[in-house]
Amino acid sequence: MTRSQIVKQTNQKICGLSKGIFSDEYWNGIKPITDYLNESEHGFYLNNTTYKHDANGIPFRKEWVYISESTKNPINVLVIASGAGSVVDPLSKYDVIAYAS
């Protein structure tokens, strides 16, 4: 497969895997996406995770970066859990987006 075919296939697969608002402490909302990437024939691996904080130091987003080096140019998948909770605890509820590029 070409790089663009892998990106398209990955986006089609992960697009609908985590719909809705989640409220758990274990990031179960991203589990279907990470399971797919971990089991993918394209060799995705977790490269980095990061929390983004507001000016007061409160985390409002968590990001996971997956990489596949199965092609000449690496393929990146960014998974983002964005806070949808309260002002005091934005990540008490979250929604998920993910895309390959």
Side-chain angles (χ1 to χ4, degrees), residues 1 24 27 29 31 36 60 67 72-73 75 79-80 86 90 94 96 98-99:
M1 288 182 105
D24 62 272
W27 303 110
K31 187 168 177 15
Y36 170 77
F60 64 90
I67 295 178
K72 182 179 176 183
N73 294 320
I75 299 168
V79 182
I80 301 172
S86 68
Y94 61 94
V96 178
Y99 64 91

Side-chain angles (χ1 to χ4, degrees), residues 4-5 8 15 17-18 24 26-27 33 46 60 64 70 78 80 82 87-89 91 94 96:
S4 62
Q5 289 172 323
K8 182 178 179 180
C15 178
L17 289 179
S18 292
D24 62 272
Y26 305 103
W27 303 110
I33 296 169
L46 181 62
F60 64 90
W64 293 260
S70 62
L78 179 61
I80 301 172
S82 298
V87 172
V88 176
D89 188 8
L91 289 175
Y94 61 94
V96 178

Side-chain angles (χ1 to χ4, degrees), residues 2 7 10 14 16 26-27 30 36 46 61-62 73 76 79 81 83:
T2 67
V7 168
T10 302
I14 65 177
Y26 305 103
W27 303 110
I30 71 149
Y36 170 77
L46 181 62
R61 179 170 70 204
K62 184 172 182 179
N73 294 320
N76 297 304
V79 182

Side-chain angles (χ1 to χ4, degrees), residues 17-75:
L17 289 179
S18 292
K19 290 187 177 187
I21 302 292
F22 302 91
S23 58
D24 62 272
E25 297 177 9
Y26 305 103
W27 303 110
N28 288 326
I30 71 149
K31 187 168 177 15
I33 296 169
T34 59
D35 286 349
Y36 170 77
L37 295 172
N38 289 331
E39 296 167 6
S40 170
E41 64 191 52
H42 306 297
F44 286 100
Y45 63 89
L46 181 62
N47 184 54
N48 190 22
T49 62
T50 344
Y51 281 95
K52 301 295 182 179
H53 299 83
D54 66 14
N56 297 318
I58 298 172
F60 64 90
R61 179 170 70 204
K62 184 172 182 179
E63 299 177 355
W64 293 260
V65 178
Y66 283 82
I67 295 178
S68 170
E69 296 174 341
S70 62
T71 60
K72 182 179 176 183
N73 294 320
I75 299 168

